[in-house]
Each structure stands twice: as C-alpha cells, then as structure tokens.
Amino acid sequence: FGAEYHKAKYKRDMKAQQQQQQQGSSSSDSASLPALPEPLALSKNKHYLNCLRKAFRHVASLGFVEMPNYDLIGQCLTGFLQNINPEKSVPSMDWKERHSTSKRRRTISSNTSCTLDTGGVAWNLLDEDDVDPLDDNTLVEAESDRRAALEAAAAVLEDTSRSAKGLDGNNAPGGSSSALDNGTFTGEASDLARLPLQIQFYLSQAEYNARHSDKVPLHLALRDWMLLAVPLAHGAWDTASWERGNHRTDDDGYRNEVYMSMLQKCMDAAEPFNRFSDRECYYYPTLGGEEEGVEAKKRKRRRVGTTNAVVPHLESENSDGGNESPLVVVSRAFFSLRLALDMQRGKNFAPPPKLSFGY
C-alpha cells in the first residue's frame, strides 16, 4: 500500500478513536475523517502479492535453527521481473544517497570531518615495530558509515514523530531525540555509544592494557594511552552531540558528565603503569641490562614524533623527528586532563530536558 497510505490510515484510525471516546459511542462520523490516499499499484497486482505471501509464509514457518529455502526465495524475487507494465514506470532510487531531506533539531552530519580534533598535538612512535597496526583511516571510514546509519535512523524517528504530532497538534515524545537516545542503550553504554568510534576504541584499548599491565610493554601502553589522552586533553568536546539529552549546547556553561567520566577513565588507565614515569617509556632497553651501570645511563631515546600547535615556539629536544620533548608532551597531557576535570567539577549540573506528552 505504501508508506504514505499507512501513515494516513494511522492518523485516520487515531482520529476515529478520539471521536469515539468523545462521543461515547462505538461508531464515528466517517465524513469528518480525512480521506485516504490511493494505495500503490503493487497492491492491485495479484501476481506480485502472491510472490510476497509465498516468501513470507515460508519464512514464518522456519524454526530458529532451520535453513531457509533460498531457491524458493529466489523464485519469489524473480517473480517481480514478470508481468511488468511498461506504461507504469517506477521512479528510480539512489541507494547511495544517505542524507535525509527532513529537518531536525539535532542531526549527525556526515559532511563534517570524522577525524578527531587533537588541538594540533600529536605523539607517535616512529620505529616500524612500534607503529600501531590499525590504520587510522579504518576508524575514520567506520565512523563515517556509523554517522550515515544514525542519520537514517534519526530520519525514521523524525518521520514517526511528525506523523504522531499531526493527529491533534501536540508534540510527540522524543520527536527530536537522537537515534541513540531512544532506549536502545541505557546508562554508561548509551554514553559511550554517542561518542565517535575512535574514542570508543582508544578507551577500550587503554583499559585493556591497564588490566594486563604485566604483559603490555610500557612504551606501547603509552602509545595507546596518548591516542585517548590527546583528544580529551587538547581537542574540542562536542557537548551537543556527546552529552546526555537533546538540549545541550557547547557554550551552556553546565557540567559535562560524560566528558568527566572519560577524563577519569583516562587517568585511571595510566595508574597501573605508574603514570608512565618510568624510563622504559622513553628509552630503549640496554643490551646488557640494568646491571651494566654506566651503560644503563647512556641508553638511547626512543624515536618519537611530536607536534604541538599549542606552544609551537618550544625548542626541540627530540632529535629524531619532533618539535618538543616526548616527556613534555605527556606531562602536558596529564596536566590538561587534571585541569579539565577540576574545571568540570566546579560547574553546576545541567537541567533535565523538557518533556512533552501527547500523540
């Protein structure tokens, strides 16, 4: 019958139900009800309907572990290529178009960059054996696909809310909510699900390293921890998209509880490694071990590439590629994390979002 028909029928049924409740009778005045649009031509084609019924009956008869008859499903799909009326052309659909034309208060725009904001700060191990095997582009592409999926889900929620709102002019609950705030996740899982995939992955890796601190080399644990710490300490926090509710703005001045939780998790992940203050984080091990004494003091620094747009005038202490000492970059990350956490604690809690009730 088509989406427009079902939406109109739903509004009509709800209007009829309201009239019955107001009049106290079992019948309603059909003349005052809105007319239904014409159903799709597909609903009048018995051949197409039989193909659909045949496929759905077969699927409905299957058990949980039973294998579908794909030959039967294929025959049903092939049936749609038969009895095609060339006079009634069907408009083509651009399956690659992921954007919705509907306007929403809160959208997850796939046009914006999916790359994390690091504030111009970077800390990377340069040795081939120490480079993270996961390419950053993999997470960026995954985040782009995730945003497109959330955009489509938000469009469905908006359309459903708009249909319900048209019944009596009242606002429907959750009409402008994010696709991730509709009850699919709860609690901390919902908070994490709103964050970019890069942050979710970096947090999982840092917490895994913290749980297995006796098995993970210190310099690799520091590498993974800095991937999480740098965007939290120096990047911009998207309050409107990443905090709870649908009413927050980046400059509202209230406490960002999800941000505070991430800051604390990041600090906790560094505790099992003595906050990366050991020499093994920044120097190669000696061939003879620490018992060599004098040789241990002459250990060579690890090759670390650093960039810093915050304080670009600092002289280089890292001769292997960088404009700042790796230890200074790490120390500044710790300081910025603690400062941000203290600043958030001094703010008031944000008020709850406005609630509206009705169809």
Side-chain angles (χ1 to χ4, degrees):
F1 286 85
E4 295 300 326
Y5 177 87
H6 287 288
K7 291 178 181 178
K9 187 176 184 303
Y10 175 76
K11 295 178 182 179
R12 180 188 175 96
D13 293 342
M14 297 301 297
K15 192 73 174 180
Q17 183 179 355
Q18 289 181 359
Q19 290 183 1
Q20 292 176 8
Q21 293 176 354
Q22 293 174 358
Q23 298 174 2
S25 60
S26 59
S27 61
S28 59
D29 186 8
S30 59
S32 62
L33 298 177
L36 295 177
E38 283 293 325
L40 298 179
L42 176 65
S43 63
K44 302 178 181 179
N45 192 309
K46 294 183 179 180
H47 173 72
Y48 292 158
L49 293 179
N50 288 334
C51 290
L52 288 174
R53 292 190 180 110
K54 188 176 181 181
F56 282 112
R57 286 197 190 103
H58 170 66
V59 175
S61 64
L62 296 175
F64 181 74
V65 296
E66 292 181 315
M67 180 70 68
N69 186 345
Y70 290 107
D71 292 335
L72 175 63
I73 301 297
Q75 293 174 7
C76 296
L77 295 176
T78 306
F80 281 86
L81 301 178
Q82 305 171 7
N83 299 337
I84 297 179
N85 189 352
E87 297 179 358
K88 297 182 179 180
S89 60
V90 179
S92 59
M93 179 178 293
D94 186 3
W95 296 100
K96 296 183 178 180
E97 177 60 40
R98 297 176 175 178
H99 304 287
S100 172
T101 57
S102 61
K103 296 181 179 180
R104 289 175 297 279
R105 174 185 171 188
R106 179 177 180 178
T107 59
I108 304 171
S109 176
S110 55
N111 293 328
T112 58
S113 175
C114 295
T115 305
L116 282 181
D117 178 19
T118 62
V121 179
W123 195 98
N124 302 297
L125 294 176
L126 300 181
D127 287 341
E128 185 176 354
D129 295 338
D130 298 334
V131 174
D132 193 343
L134 178 63
D135 188 0
D136 290 340
N137 293 330
T138 303
L139 292 176
V140 172
E141 294 174 0
E143 174 64 12
S144 177
D145 292 339
R146 187 186 78 110
R147 291 191 184 188
L150 292 178
E151 189 75 16
V156 174
L157 289 176
E158 180 72 12
D159 293 340
T160 304
S161 171
R162 189 175 301 167
S163 299
K165 181 180 178 181
L167 295 175
D168 57 0
N170 293 330
N171 291 329
S176 60
S177 296
S178 169
L180 289 172
D181 292 331
N182 63 354
T184 305
F185 302 99
T186 58
E188 185 177 358
S190 176
D191 295 339
L192 292 176
R194 285 190 297 271
L195 300 178
L197 287 179
Q198 297 99 311
I199 293 184
Q200 297 183 39
F201 178 83
Y202 296 153
L203 174 62
S204 299
Q205 186 64 59
E207 291 182 334
Y208 174 87
N209 293 343
R211 291 193 300 267
H212 303 83
S213 57
D214 56 335
K215 300 179 181 178
V216 180
L218 284 176
H219 66 292
L220 297 183
L222 175 57
R223 176 201 66 188
D224 296 337
W225 185 83
M226 287 295 289
L227 290 174
L228 174 65
V230 167
L232 292 178
H234 304 293
W237 183 260
D238 190 352
T239 303
S241 300
W242 300 345
E243 289 295 325
R244 301 167 189 163
N246 192 36
H247 62 302
R248 300 294 306 278
T249 59
D250 294 337
D251 56 351
D252 57 15
Y254 292 111
R255 178 183 298 185
N256 296 329
E257 297 181 64
V258 179
Y259 183 41
M260 288 183 60
S261 175
M262 292 298 300
L263 292 171
Q264 190 61 56
K265 288 178 181 293
C266 184
M267 297 288 291
D268 294 342
E271 290 297 332
F273 301 99
N274 196 22
R275 298 192 177 185
F276 304 107
S277 59
D278 297 335
R279 292 174 59 88
E280 285 74 10
C281 296
Y282 312 99
Y283 291 87
Y284 293 106
T286 57
L287 297 178
E290 293 292 341
E291 65 276 4
E292 295 294 332
V294 177
E295 293 295 331
K297 297 180 181 180
K298 298 181 180 180
R299 286 192 295 176
K300 186 179 179 182
R301 288 191 184 190
R302 295 187 183 276
R303 297 179 61 245
V304 180
T306 62
T307 55
N308 182 17
V310 180
V311 191
H313 64 275
L314 289 180
E315 297 182 359
S316 172
E317 294 184 17
N318 182 17
S319 58
D320 292 309
N323 65 359
E324 191 174 2
S325 167
L327 182 57
V328 172
V329 179
V330 174
S331 299
R332 184 177 291 111
F334 274 107
F335 175 80
S336 299
L337 291 173
R338 289 191 295 267
L339 178 62
L341 191 58
D342 292 339
M343 291 179 63
Q344 291 296 323
R345 286 171 177 165
K347 297 181 180 180
N348 295 326
F349 288 98
K354 295 181 179 180
L355 299 179
S356 58
F357 301 92
Y359 291 107

mmCIF file of all heavy atoms in Angstrom, residues 161-202:
data_model
loop_
_atom_site.group_PDB
_atom_site.id
_atom_site.type_symbol
_atom_site.label_atom_id
_atom_site.label_comp_id
_atom_site.label_asym_id
_atom_site.label_seq_id
_atom_site.Cartn_x
_atom_site.Cartn_y
_atom_site.Cartn_z
ATOM 1 N N SER A 161 7.615 10.692 14.522
ATOM 2 C CA SER A 161 7.177 11.749 15.439
ATOM 3 C C SER A 161 6.290 12.750 14.731
ATOM 4 O O SER A 161 5.287 13.206 15.272
ATOM 5 C CB SER A 161 8.396 12.455 16.032
ATOM 6 O OG SER A 161 8.011 13.596 16.757
ATOM 7 N N ARG A 162 6.635 13.081 13.494
ATOM 8 C CA ARG A 162 5.845 14.058 12.745
ATOM 9 C C ARG A 162 4.456 13.509 12.442
ATOM 10 O O ARG A 162 3.463 14.233 12.480
ATOM 11 C CB ARG A 162 6.575 14.407 11.451
ATOM 12 C CG ARG A 162 5.960 15.564 10.687
ATOM 13 C CD ARG A 162 6.822 15.897 9.490
ATOM 14 N NE ARG A 162 8.159 16.260 9.905
ATOM 15 C CZ ARG A 162 9.187 16.348 9.065
ATOM 16 N NH1 ARG A 162 9.022 16.081 7.784
ATOM 17 N NH2 ARG A 162 10.378 16.701 9.510
ATOM 18 N N SER A 163 4.360 12.205 12.156
ATOM 19 C CA SER A 163 3.061 11.596 11.897
ATOM 20 C C SER A 163 2.197 11.627 13.146
ATOM 21 O O SER A 163 1.011 11.928 13.095
ATOM 22 C CB SER A 163 3.252 10.143 11.428
ATOM 23 O OG SER A 163 4.002 10.105 10.240
ATOM 24 N N ALA A 164 2.802 11.304 14.298
ATOM 25 C CA ALA A 164 2.040 11.326 15.543
ATOM 26 C C ALA A 164 1.653 12.742 15.933
ATOM 27 O O ALA A 164 0.581 12.980 16.477
ATOM 28 C CB ALA A 164 2.846 10.676 16.661
ATOM 29 N N LYS A 165 2.510 13.685 15.645
ATOM 30 C CA LYS A 165 2.239 15.080 16.002
ATOM 31 C C LYS A 165 1.075 15.640 15.223
ATOM 32 O O LYS A 165 0.332 16.487 15.705
ATOM 33 C CB LYS A 165 3.498 15.923 15.760
ATOM 34 C CG LYS A 165 3.350 17.393 16.123
ATOM 35 C CD LYS A 165 4.642 18.139 15.861
ATOM 36 C CE LYS A 165 4.500 19.610 16.182
ATOM 37 N NZ LYS A 165 5.753 20.351 15.911
ATOM 38 N N GLY A 166 0.868 15.145 13.997
ATOM 39 C CA GLY A 166 -0.201 15.658 13.165
ATOM 40 C C GLY A 166 -1.583 15.215 13.577
ATOM 41 O O GLY A 166 -2.579 15.657 13.008
ATOM 42 N N LEU A 167 -1.691 14.341 14.573
ATOM 43 C CA LEU A 167 -3.000 13.847 14.985
ATOM 44 C C LEU A 167 -3.826 14.924 15.661
ATOM 45 O O LEU A 167 -4.981 15.148 15.335
ATOM 46 C CB LEU A 167 -2.825 12.641 15.924
ATOM 47 C CG LEU A 167 -2.185 11.408 15.273
ATOM 48 C CD1 LEU A 167 -1.967 10.342 16.316
ATOM 49 C CD2 LEU A 167 -3.067 10.895 14.149
ATOM 50 N N ASP A 168 -3.258 15.596 16.655
ATOM 51 C CA ASP A 168 -4.020 16.603 17.383
ATOM 52 C C ASP A 168 -3.241 17.879 17.639
ATOM 53 O O ASP A 168 -3.635 18.712 18.431
ATOM 54 C CB ASP A 168 -4.499 16.042 18.726
ATOM 55 C CG ASP A 168 -3.353 15.533 19.578
ATOM 56 O OD1 ASP A 168 -2.206 15.627 19.104
ATOM 57 O OD2 ASP A 168 -3.612 15.057 20.702
ATOM 58 N N GLY A 169 -2.057 18.014 16.982
ATOM 59 C CA GLY A 169 -1.266 19.225 17.141
ATOM 60 C C GLY A 169 -0.355 19.214 18.332
ATOM 61 O O GLY A 169 0.376 20.159 18.564
ATOM 62 N N ASN A 170 -0.367 18.144 19.138
ATOM 63 C CA ASN A 170 0.514 18.072 20.296
ATOM 64 C C ASN A 170 1.850 17.523 19.899
ATOM 65 O O ASN A 170 1.972 16.768 18.934
ATOM 66 C CB ASN A 170 -0.111 17.183 21.376
ATOM 67 C CG ASN A 170 -1.364 17.818 21.959
ATOM 68 O OD1 ASN A 170 -1.489 19.041 22.008
ATOM 69 N ND2 ASN A 170 -2.300 16.976 22.377
ATOM 70 N N ASN A 171 2.861 17.819 20.674
ATOM 71 C CA ASN A 171 4.194 17.296 20.411
ATOM 72 C C ASN A 171 4.259 15.841 20.798
ATOM 73 O O ASN A 171 3.740 15.433 21.826
ATOM 74 C CB ASN A 171 5.248 18.088 21.195
ATOM 75 C CG ASN A 171 5.389 19.494 20.661
ATOM 76 O OD1 ASN A 171 5.189 19.730 19.467
ATOM 77 N ND2 ASN A 171 5.707 20.424 21.535
ATOM 78 N N ALA A 172 4.917 15.063 19.965
ATOM 79 C CA ALA A 172 5.104 13.654 20.280
ATOM 80 C C ALA A 172 6.338 13.493 21.111
ATOM 81 O O ALA A 172 7.305 14.228 20.954
ATOM 82 C CB ALA A 172 5.238 12.840 18.993
ATOM 83 N N PRO A 173 6.370 12.540 22.044
ATOM 84 C CA PRO A 173 7.552 12.358 22.876
ATOM 85 C C PRO A 173 8.719 11.861 22.070
ATOM 86 O O PRO A 173 8.588 10.953 21.259
ATOM 87 C CB PRO A 173 7.088 11.307 23.903
ATOM 88 C CG PRO A 173 5.990 10.572 23.215
ATOM 89 C CD PRO A 173 5.310 11.574 22.346
ATOM 90 N N GLY A 174 9.868 12.500 22.287
ATOM 91 C CA GLY A 174 11.082 12.037 21.618
ATOM 92 C C GLY A 174 11.162 12.402 20.166
ATOM 93 O O GLY A 174 11.895 11.776 19.421
ATOM 94 N N GLY A 175 10.385 13.410 19.722
ATOM 95 C CA GLY A 175 10.355 13.724 18.308
ATOM 96 C C GLY A 175 11.687 14.205 17.792
ATOM 97 O O GLY A 175 12.022 13.976 16.647
ATOM 98 N N SER A 176 12.470 14.873 18.590
ATOM 99 C CA SER A 176 13.756 15.397 18.123
ATOM 100 C C SER A 176 14.919 14.744 18.834
ATOM 101 O O SER A 176 16.016 15.277 18.866
ATOM 102 C CB SER A 176 13.789 16.915 18.343
ATOM 103 O OG SER A 176 13.635 17.206 19.707
ATOM 104 N N SER A 177 14.692 13.596 19.392
ATOM 105 C CA SER A 177 15.762 12.927 20.117
ATOM 106 C C SER A 177 16.743 12.305 19.156
ATOM 107 O O SER A 177 16.422 11.999 18.012
ATOM 108 C CB SER A 177 15.184 11.840 21.027
ATOM 109 O OG SER A 177 14.363 12.428 22.007
ATOM 110 N N SER A 178 17.920 12.089 19.628
ATOM 111 C CA SER A 178 18.928 11.392 18.846
ATOM 112 C C SER A 178 18.566 9.945 18.703
ATOM 113 O O SER A 178 17.847 9.368 19.506
ATOM 114 C CB SER A 178 20.299 11.510 19.526
ATOM 115 O OG SER A 178 21.225 10.650 18.918
ATOM 116 N N ALA A 179 19.047 9.323 17.617
ATOM 117 C CA ALA A 179 18.753 7.916 17.390
ATOM 118 C C ALA A 179 19.320 7.041 18.487
ATOM 119 O O ALA A 179 18.852 5.921 18.697
ATOM 120 C CB ALA A 179 19.326 7.488 16.031
ATOM 121 N N LEU A 180 20.317 7.524 19.203
ATOM 122 C CA LEU A 180 20.918 6.727 20.264
ATOM 123 C C LEU A 180 20.267 6.972 21.610
ATOM 124 O O LEU A 180 20.630 6.344 22.592
ATOM 125 C CB LEU A 180 22.420 7.040 20.357
ATOM 126 C CG LEU A 180 23.246 6.514 19.200
ATOM 127 C CD1 LEU A 180 24.662 7.044 19.305
ATOM 128 C CD2 LEU A 180 23.240 5.010 19.147
ATOM 129 N N ASP A 181 19.308 7.893 21.676
ATOM 130 C CA ASP A 181 18.635 8.186 22.933
ATOM 131 C C ASP A 181 17.230 7.608 22.984
ATOM 132 O O ASP A 181 16.396 8.035 23.750
ATOM 133 C CB ASP A 181 18.531 9.706 23.136
ATOM 134 C CG ASP A 181 19.894 10.317 23.371
ATOM 135 O OD1 ASP A 181 20.761 9.610 23.904
ATOM 136 O OD2 ASP A 181 20.094 11.479 22.992
ATOM 137 N N ASN A 182 16.953 6.606 22.116
ATOM 138 C CA ASN A 182 15.597 6.090 22.045
ATOM 139 C C ASN A 182 15.414 4.813 22.832
ATOM 140 O O ASN A 182 14.450 4.088 22.624
ATOM 141 C CB ASN A 182 15.226 5.835 20.577
ATOM 142 C CG ASN A 182 16.114 4.778 19.944
ATOM 143 O OD1 ASN A 182 17.071 4.328 20.564
ATOM 144 N ND2 ASN A 182 15.810 4.382 18.719
ATOM 145 N N GLY A 183 16.334 4.513 23.753
ATOM 146 C CA GLY A 183 16.159 3.340 24.597
ATOM 147 C C GLY A 183 16.925 2.120 24.142
ATOM 148 O O GLY A 183 16.856 1.076 24.774
ATOM 149 N N THR A 184 17.650 2.217 23.009
ATOM 150 C CA THR A 184 18.418 1.066 22.560
ATOM 151 C C THR A 184 19.515 0.731 23.560
ATOM 152 O O THR A 184 19.780 -0.437 23.826
ATOM 153 C CB THR A 184 19.036 1.365 21.180
ATOM 154 O OG1 THR A 184 17.998 1.748 20.285
ATOM 155 C CG2 THR A 184 19.747 0.142 20.638
ATOM 156 N N PHE A 185 20.165 1.761 24.130
ATOM 157 C CA PHE A 185 21.180 1.578 25.149
ATOM 158 C C PHE A 185 20.749 2.326 26.409
ATOM 159 O O PHE A 185 19.948 3.261 26.348
ATOM 160 C CB PHE A 185 22.539 2.105 24.677
ATOM 161 C CG PHE A 185 23.037 1.456 23.422
ATOM 162 C CD1 PHE A 185 22.882 2.074 22.193
ATOM 163 C CD2 PHE A 185 23.650 0.216 23.461
ATOM 164 C CE1 PHE A 185 23.335 1.477 21.034
ATOM 165 C CE2 PHE A 185 24.111 -0.383 22.309
ATOM 166 C CZ PHE A 185 23.951 0.242 21.094
ATOM 167 N N THR A 186 21.281 1.917 27.515
ATOM 168 C CA THR A 186 20.978 2.585 28.772
ATOM 169 C C THR A 186 22.264 2.804 29.546
ATOM 170 O O THR A 186 23.243 2.075 29.385
ATOM 171 C CB THR A 186 20.006 1.746 29.621
ATOM 172 O OG1 THR A 186 20.582 0.452 29.875
ATOM 173 C CG2 THR A 186 18.668 1.578 28.914
ATOM 174 N N GLY A 187 22.251 3.830 30.418
ATOM 175 C CA GLY A 187 23.368 4.068 31.306
ATOM 176 C C GLY A 187 24.661 4.377 30.582
ATOM 177 O O GLY A 187 24.701 5.129 29.605
ATOM 178 N N GLU A 188 25.726 3.765 31.065
ATOM 179 C CA GLU A 188 27.055 4.026 30.517
ATOM 180 C C GLU A 188 27.168 3.576 29.071
ATOM 181 O O GLU A 188 27.880 4.200 28.272
ATOM 182 C CB GLU A 188 28.112 3.321 31.369
ATOM 183 C CG GLU A 188 29.533 3.629 30.947
ATOM 184 C CD GLU A 188 30.559 2.969 31.847
ATOM 185 O OE1 GLU A 188 30.145 2.302 32.827
ATOM 186 O OE2 GLU A 188 31.767 3.130 31.588
ATOM 187 N N ALA A 189 26.480 2.494 28.708
ATOM 188 C CA ALA A 189 26.524 2.027 27.319
ATOM 189 C C ALA A 189 25.966 3.085 26.375
ATOM 190 O O ALA A 189 26.486 3.288 25.271
ATOM 191 C CB ALA A 189 25.747 0.720 27.181
ATOM 192 N N SER A 190 24.913 3.786 26.799
ATOM 193 C CA SER A 190 24.353 4.853 25.979
ATOM 194 C C SER A 190 25.325 6.020 25.861
ATOM 195 O O SER A 190 25.458 6.618 24.788
ATOM 196 C CB SER A 190 23.029 5.325 26.585
ATOM 197 O OG SER A 190 22.502 6.415 25.863
ATOM 198 N N ASP A 191 26.017 6.341 26.949
ATOM 199 C CA ASP A 191 27.007 7.432 26.907
ATOM 200 C C ASP A 191 28.131 7.111 25.930
ATOM 201 O O ASP A 191 28.550 7.966 25.144
ATOM 202 C CB ASP A 191 27.573 7.672 28.300
ATOM 203 C CG ASP A 191 26.519 8.184 29.271
ATOM 204 O OD1 ASP A 191 25.493 8.718 28.803
ATOM 205 O OD2 ASP A 191 26.716 8.038 30.492
ATOM 206 N N LEU A 192 28.631 5.895 25.983
ATOM 207 C CA LEU A 192 29.734 5.519 25.098
ATOM 208 C C LEU A 192 29.287 5.429 23.641
ATOM 209 O O LEU A 192 30.049 5.748 22.735
ATOM 210 C CB LEU A 192 30.323 4.173 25.540
ATOM 211 C CG LEU A 192 31.054 4.165 26.891
ATOM 212 C CD1 LEU A 192 31.507 2.753 27.238
ATOM 213 C CD2 LEU A 192 32.244 5.109 26.869
ATOM 214 N N ALA A 193 28.049 4.992 23.430
ATOM 215 C CA ALA A 193 27.571 4.816 22.056
ATOM 216 C C ALA A 193 27.450 6.142 21.317
ATOM 217 O O ALA A 193 27.502 6.161 20.083
ATOM 218 C CB ALA A 193 26.219 4.100 22.065
ATOM 219 N N ARG A 194 27.283 7.239 22.038
ATOM 220 C CA ARG A 194 27.197 8.543 21.380
ATOM 221 C C ARG A 194 28.557 9.071 20.952
ATOM 222 O O ARG A 194 28.628 9.997 20.136
ATOM 223 C CB ARG A 194 26.524 9.559 22.322
ATOM 224 C CG ARG A 194 25.025 9.393 22.460
ATOM 225 C CD ARG A 194 24.432 10.591 23.201
ATOM 226 N NE ARG A 194 24.942 10.677 24.565
ATOM 227 C CZ ARG A 194 24.395 10.087 25.612
ATOM 228 N NH1 ARG A 194 23.324 9.333 25.448
ATOM 229 N NH2 ARG A 194 24.904 10.217 26.821
ATOM 230 N N LEU A 195 29.628 8.529 21.496
ATOM 231 C CA LEU A 195 30.965 9.029 21.188
ATOM 232 C C LEU A 195 31.442 8.479 19.852
ATOM 233 O O LEU A 195 30.983 7.427 19.392
ATOM 234 C CB LEU A 195 31.937 8.612 22.294
ATOM 235 C CG LEU A 195 31.612 9.113 23.704
ATOM 236 C CD1 LEU A 195 32.633 8.579 24.693
ATOM 237 C CD2 LEU A 195 31.570 10.634 23.745
ATOM 238 N N PRO A 196 32.382 9.153 19.190
ATOM 239 C CA PRO A 196 32.943 8.628 17.941
ATOM 240 C C PRO A 196 33.604 7.271 18.166
ATOM 241 O O PRO A 196 34.088 6.967 19.259
ATOM 242 C CB PRO A 196 33.979 9.696 17.541
ATOM 243 C CG PRO A 196 33.531 10.939 18.238
ATOM 244 C CD PRO A 196 32.906 10.494 19.518
ATOM 245 N N LEU A 197 33.634 6.471 17.128
ATOM 246 C CA LEU A 197 34.218 5.137 17.230
ATOM 247 C C LEU A 197 35.690 5.193 17.619
ATOM 248 O O LEU A 197 36.186 4.293 18.291
ATOM 249 C CB LEU A 197 34.057 4.389 15.896
ATOM 250 C CG LEU A 197 32.653 3.912 15.552
ATOM 251 C CD1 LEU A 197 32.653 3.225 14.198
ATOM 252 C CD2 LEU A 197 32.133 2.961 16.619
ATOM 253 N N GLN A 198 36.381 6.253 17.168
ATOM 254 C CA GLN A 198 37.795 6.352 17.527
ATOM 255 C C GLN A 198 37.972 6.422 19.031
ATOM 256 O O GLN A 198 38.817 5.720 19.598
ATOM 257 C CB GLN A 198 38.423 7.585 16.876
ATOM 258 C CG GLN A 198 38.420 7.537 15.353
ATOM 259 C CD GLN A 198 37.280 8.323 14.777
ATOM 260 O OE1 GLN A 198 36.144 8.160 15.204
ATOM 261 N NE2 GLN A 198 37.566 9.178 13.817
ATOM 262 N N ILE A 199 37.179 7.259 19.709
ATOM 263 C CA ILE A 199 37.299 7.381 21.169
ATOM 264 C C ILE A 199 36.884 6.084 21.841
ATOM 265 O O ILE A 199 37.513 5.650 22.820
ATOM 266 C CB ILE A 199 36.448 8.560 21.668
ATOM 267 C CG1 ILE A 199 37.041 9.884 21.162
ATOM 268 C CG2 ILE A 199 36.371 8.568 23.192
ATOM 269 C CD1 ILE A 199 36.328 11.110 21.683
ATOM 270 N N GLN A 200 35.835 5.445 21.344
ATOM 271 C CA GLN A 200 35.409 4.177 21.928
ATOM 272 C C GLN A 200 36.521 3.133 21.830
ATOM 273 O O GLN A 200 36.794 2.404 22.794
ATOM 274 C CB GLN A 200 34.153 3.672 21.211
ATOM 275 C CG GLN A 200 32.940 4.564 21.353
ATOM 276 C CD GLN A 200 31.726 3.978 20.683
ATOM 277 O OE1 GLN A 200 31.481 2.770 20.728
ATOM 278 N NE2 GLN A 200 30.941 4.824 20.029
ATOM 279 N N PHE A 201 37.163 3.077 20.682
ATOM 280 C CA PHE A 201 38.228 2.089 20.501
ATOM 281 C C PHE A 201 39.445 2.424 21.356
ATOM 282 O O PHE A 201 40.024 1.531 21.999
ATOM 283 C CB PHE A 201 38.628 2.022 19.028
ATOM 284 C CG PHE A 201 39.758 1.064 18.752
ATOM 285 C CD1 PHE A 201 39.512 -0.292 18.596
ATOM 286 C CD2 PHE A 201 41.061 1.519 18.659
ATOM 287 C CE1 PHE A 201 40.548 -1.170 18.359
ATOM 288 C CE2 PHE A 201 42.100 0.640 18.418
ATOM 289 C CZ PHE A 201 41.840 -0.706 18.258
ATOM 290 N N TYR A 202 39.851 3.690 21.382
ATOM 291 C CA TYR A 202 41.022 4.071 22.166
ATOM 292 C C TYR A 202 40.790 3.812 23.648
ATOM 293 O O TYR A 202 41.712 3.389 24.372
ATOM 294 C CB TYR A 202 41.347 5.546 21.936
ATOM 295 C CG TYR A 202 41.756 5.882 20.520
ATOM 296 C CD1 TYR A 202 41.554 7.168 19.993
ATOM 297 C CD2 TYR A 202 42.316 4.913 19.694
ATOM 298 C CE1 TYR A 202 41.923 7.468 18.697
ATOM 299 C CE2 TYR A 202 42.678 5.214 18.389
ATOM 300 C CZ TYR A 202 42.482 6.490 17.897
ATOM 301 O OH TYR A 202 42.840 6.794 16.606
#
